[in-house]
Amino acid sequence: MYQDPNIQASAELVAAARAHNITLDPPRMTAEEKEQLLRTYHPDYREDQFELLQVGPNKGEKVPKELAALLQGRSRIDPDKLDLDEPAYDVDVLVIGGGGAGTSAAIEAHQAGANVMVVTKLRMGDANTMMAEGGIQAADKPNDSPAQHYLDAYGGGHFAAQKDLLAKLVTEAPEAIRWLSDLGVEFDKAPDGTMITTHGGGTSRKRMHAAKDYSGAEIMRTLRDEALNRQIPVVDFTAAIELILDDQGRCAGAVLMNMETRELKIARAKTVILATGGAGRLHYQGFPTSNHYGATADGLVLGYRAGAKLLYPDTLQYHPTGAAFPAQIFGALVTEKVRSVGAMLINAKGEAFMNPLETRDVSAASIIRECSDRGNGVKTPAGWAVWLDTPMIELKHGAGTIEKRIPAMMRMFGKYGIDIRKEPILIYPTLHYQNGGLKISVDGQTGVENLFVAGEAVGGIHGRNRLMGNSLLDIIVFGRSAGQHAAAKAQSVTVGKLTLSHVARFHQALEEAGVDTGKISPKLLPTYNSLGKDF
Amino acid sequence: MEQMVNVFLFGKRYAVPASATIMEAMEYAGYQLVRGCGCRNGFCGACATLYRIAGDRQLHACLACSTKVEDNMYVATLPFFPLVKAVYDMEKIKPSQQIMMQLYPEIYACVGCNACTKACTQGLNVMQYIAYAQRGEYEKCAEESFDCVMCGVCSSRCPAGISHPQVAMLARRLNGKYLAPHCDHLDQRIDEINEGKFQALLSELMDNSQEEMRRLYNTRDIEK
């Protein structure tokens, strides 16, 4: 029972229409309808929210304003005043970031015999991986194939994915599932061992593997446990605040900052893997976010300053179903799996206004249209919303399905007195994923030699929109691959003299271009304290 | 005017909005969180917190990110707890009852006080899953503990010094790796891929024109 009478009245319309709505299969939009919808309503098309970069490898290209301010911000250090000659750490492979990609990379580098170390600005496992709920794709059923997976992802990403990366993603997907399974990840299976798989938005085959709706958490805690069993050194609460190059321009370490004491230390490495994740906590265009506290695009800033190029930094993913009510969970992720298992999107009048399994960008734009021009949104304290009709799930699949398949969602809303088995929930798009990032070749290396990237900090694997379940997949496939390649490359590297001259040059370029954003970067943490003071 | 309540953060009083979570209340009071803040949505276990309402003797445990403040709430965060994590090689251990005895023998010192269960921020039956672990019933232990976010509050309340989340982690890995039914179709698909079965098909897709890819995508059949 919703206390707000307008919300409750609309919820009752939804309940009254449920028996009818459940029989519907709303048609999918045509390619032309989708394109028109995206152009008109998707936040990526709001030109005034973007800015052209004036310095660096992507000069002249557009990025979100908030990102431009950080990419063209000033370093946290004075590059001329730091002594690089006596590094506190000296390793083969330095992994920056302790999420799913970084941890996978560390495990594989360790497996290859490299001396590998992980630095992470919070705790190991504090990452968007931990918060991924719905699942991981792999074409491992008889009616499916890596080619079918490629077609779904390529089309869903608007025919813009870097083809060799996408081919690697889909080809190595089944092996990624087996690797995780062998580590002890508990995938949902039928009694005979068959994987229980569902659709995600934009999939043409049911290839979403899950561990209830804790898929990412289950993967992350298992990877973390494995890294700890291998006794891989993890330096936590320590951020990389600048990459270090050597006198031949190759990446050769990082400047590290203790997040609590602010002490600086130098790490020298033969190869470096950036696995710093996404950018949701930059709150592009004022959107709430489903992202982890540390998602502030640090890796993009570090890589960009060191000379690595970005690909598609202007495309963001707004997850169609962020929690819109109550305020305490505003912006939190309501997993796409809720739709995979049968809930439909319903407007304030109780109408099923779209097919619930369109791709994320199309779904988000459609919800924004419903809440704006069409005037069919539900007014909430924070803005507008539409319904996700969760009680449909148990009407379709029987009582107990919600607790069994989406227990985290039941718990999240239950804490605020909403029983999703009996009442529909209010949702609105939330900033979810950075489609773009640093450009890599198929071995995971950027244009800066010995600088590898994996995970959400990479751009191009998914093109301009990512399908559900392809991010958990990419952190495993490209995380492992980066670890293997960085370890192999490290064997032949002799590090030259360490330098931060690239940072000094970047500062000089900013001055020459007359750019002063007033920001220092990387940002490291969002600013939520009431004093408004940046970290 | 927003309704306000008094909370006592580490004993110091602040007036904060009544609708705030404990985490938001700390930020409202001016804290810049570094420790004790993670996913901000109940999945990562970074923000374990103990609290007591003035006048009430009972100590409560919760996650600061997903618990609303109450008037006269005394709050102490528990951003880190020293859990014991045994080191083991997943390839060498087996899902026998002995393995728990070797790696986490303290579970057999459980006195049955149920303080772990009462303290669990996820409402799990912690003492029950430890009982399953004692008996080597790892599948049941895995299921009962599945929603654990490893915040460590249970262990902070345990007189026997048990690291419950780590015991459950081991049980889940044993279950996932050794006890859950094996997936044959996954092996078959990996064999097919390794034999190069899909290579030609993929190469063809990669070589197609954008127009052809659009046509294939827009006309592909979608499994019901």
Side-chain angles (χ1 to χ4, degrees), chain A residues 69-90:
Chain A
L70 297 175
L71 287 173
Q72 301 183 132
R74 290 185 67 87
S75 177
R76 288 177 170 266
I77 53 168
D78 181 340
D80 299 327
K81 289 199 175 142
L82 218 53
D83 179 8
L84 306 178
D85 289 336
E86 284 177 43
Y89 306 101
D90 197 356

Side-chain angles (χ1 to χ4, degrees), chain B residues 5-16:
Chain B
V5 293
N6 286 323
V7 295
F8 295 80
L9 303 176
F10 308 99
K12 181 169 170 55
R13 185 172 66 89
Y14 293 92
V16 302

Side-chain angles (χ1 to χ4, degrees), chain A residues 214-234:
Chain A
Y214 285 96
S215 305
E218 167 66 358
I219 289 171
M220 187 68 242
R221 65 195 180 188
T222 303
L223 292 174
R224 175 175 60 196
D225 196 61
E226 180 64 15
L228 295 175
N229 278 347
R230 289 169 177 263
Q231 299 180 284
I232 295 168
V234 178

Side-chain angles (χ1 to χ4, degrees), chain A residues 51 54 68-69 72-74 509-511 513-520:
Chain A
E51 206 171 294
Q54 297 177 62
Q72 301 183 132
R74 290 185 67 87
L510 288 175
E511 275 150 35
V515 178
D516 179 6
T517 69
K519 293 282 179 193
I520 57 161

Side-chain angles (χ1 to χ4, degrees), chain A residues 331-389:
Chain A
L333 179 63
V334 176
T335 174
E336 191 160 327
K337 192 172 174 188
V338 176
R339 282 173 285 145
S340 299
V341 296
M344 295 171 84
L345 291 163
I346 310 289
N347 67 20
K349 299 177 185 164
E351 299 162 341
F353 63 92
M354 65 175 290
N355 187 296
L357 288 174
E358 296 282 8
T359 55
R360 285 181 175 170
D361 52 353
V362 170
S363 302
S366 169
I367 292 165
I368 291 170
R369 175 174 66 183
E370 207 65 17
C371 290
S372 57
D373 287 356
R374 286 189 175 174
N376 290 333
V378 181
K379 182 87 183 86
T380 68
W384 296 91
V386 294
W387 295 102
L388 186 56
D389 196 11

Side-chain angles (χ1 to χ4, degrees), chain B residues 7-12 22 26 49-52 64 69 73-77:
Chain B
V7 295
F8 295 80
L9 303 176
F10 308 99
K12 181 169 170 55
I22 295 172
M26 293 182 78
T49 297
L50 299 173
Y51 71 90
R52 183 174 266 148
V69 290
M73 182 186 239
Y74 281 77
V75 174
T77 62

Side-chain angles (χ1 to χ4, degrees), chain A residues 25 139-140 152 154 159 182-183 186 189 199 202 206 212 225-226 229 260 293 328 411 530, chain B residues 19 27-28 33 35 38 85 88 122 143 147 173 175 177 181 185 187 189 206 210 220 223-224:
Chain A
D25 182 16
D140 59 10
D152 287 348
Y154 194 66
F159 310 92
D182 285 348
L183 286 172
E186 299 190 285
K189 290 178 184 173
H199 270 305
K206 293 179 182 175
K212 302 191 180 179
D225 196 61
E226 180 64 15
N229 278 347
E260 295 180 306
Y293 189 46
Q328 291 85 2
R411 184 186 302 282
S530 58
Chain B
S19 64
E27 289 169 338
Y28 185 87
L33 299 174
R35 272 186 197 267
K85 151 82 186 124
Y88 45 86
Q122 293 284 85
E143 180 66 24
D147 294 18
R173 290 191 71 181
N175 189 50
K177 182 172 175 66
H185 65 80
D187 287 345
R189 179 51 45 87
M206 290 169 73
Q210 293 293 77
R220 76 203 196 288
E223 182 183 2
K224 276 289 167 196

Side-chain angles (χ1 to χ4, degrees), chain A residues 18 388-395 420-424:
Chain A
R18 187 168 297 134
L388 186 56
D389 196 11
T390 45
M392 277 186 177
I393 296 169
E394 302 211 329
L395 286 180
I420 70 170
R421 295 170 298 187
K422 303 195 174 83
E423 296 174 287

